[in-house]
Amino acid sequence: MPGDDGPPGSVSGANSARQPLLNVKGGLSARSARKVQEFLNENFSRKLALAEMAAVCGFSSYHFVRAFSRTFGMPPHQYVLDLRLDFAERLLADSRMTIADIAHLSGFSSQSHFTTMMKKYRQMTPMQARAGKFNAKIR
C-alpha cells in the first residue's frame, strides 16, 4: 500500500478501529474482507455504488451490507466516510492546500459537505483541525 506520499485516494496504514472481525457468523470471509478493504482503501475518494462494493465479494447488495456490517462493526457507508475523513485530516496538516481542494480530493461533494461531516463525526471543523495540527507542530 502506498505511503503518505502516495497518490491522492490512497490510504496508508490500517486503522485498528476498522480491522475486520474474522469468523463472525454471517460476516465476510477473511478473503472477502481483505479484498473489499483493499478495494475501499484504493477507491474511497470517488463515488462508490453499493452494488460495486458487493461485486468485489460476489454478494448481492442486501447480503453484502449485512455481512460487511457484522465483519467491520459499521455499514459500508460509514466505513468509507471514516476513510475520507482520515485522509482529509492528514491533508489538513499540509496547510498549503485549500479546504475546498482537500474536500474534493477526499471524495466529498463540496467543501460544505466536508465541513458538515467533519463537525458531525470529528466534533471540529476543518479549520479547527488545521489549527490544531499547526499548533501541535509549533510546540
Side-chain angles (χ1 to χ4, degrees), residues 15 43 51 53 77 83 85 94 106 111 120 123 130:
N15 185 331
N43 295 286
M53 292 183 244
H77 177 263
L83 289 175
L85 289 171
D94 179 5
S106 302
Q111 180 177 339
K120 182 174 182 178
Q123 290 73 49
R130 173 171 278 166

Side-chain angles (χ1 to χ4, degrees), residues 15 17-18 40-41 44 48 50 53 64-65 68-69 72-87 89 108 113 116-123:
N15 185 331
R18 285 194 294 271
L40 293 176
N41 283 341
F44 71 88
L48 292 168
L50 188 57
M53 292 183 244
F64 174 74
V65 170
F68 186 98
S69 297
F72 289 96
M74 65 183 79
H77 177 263
Q78 184 65 48
Y79 186 95
V80 171
L81 181 61
D82 282 350
L83 289 175
R84 289 177 177 171
L85 289 171
D86 289 347
F87 183 68
E89 283 187 89
F108 292 96
H113 181 232
T116 300
M117 294 296 103
M118 189 96 174
K119 268 195 222 177
K120 182 174 182 178
Y121 293 104
R122 303 293 163 93
Q123 290 73 49

Side-chain angles (χ1 to χ4, degrees), residues 54-115:
V56 171
C57 300
F59 281 35
S60 70
S61 296
Y62 174 79
H63 285 101
F64 174 74
V65 170
R66 292 183 58 173
F68 186 98
S69 297
R70 286 190 177 145
T71 302
F72 289 96
M74 65 183 79
H77 177 263
Q78 184 65 48
Y79 186 95
V80 171
L81 181 61
D82 282 350
L83 289 175
R84 289 177 177 171
L85 289 171
D86 289 347
F87 183 68
E89 283 187 89
R90 285 195 302 277
L91 292 178
L92 284 168
D94 179 5
S95 59
R96 294 171 294 180
M97 294 181 75
T98 67
I99 291 174
D101 287 342
I102 290 170
H104 175 72
L105 285 172
S106 302
F108 292 96
S109 59
S110 66
Q111 180 177 339
S112 174
H113 181 232
F114 171 44
T115 300

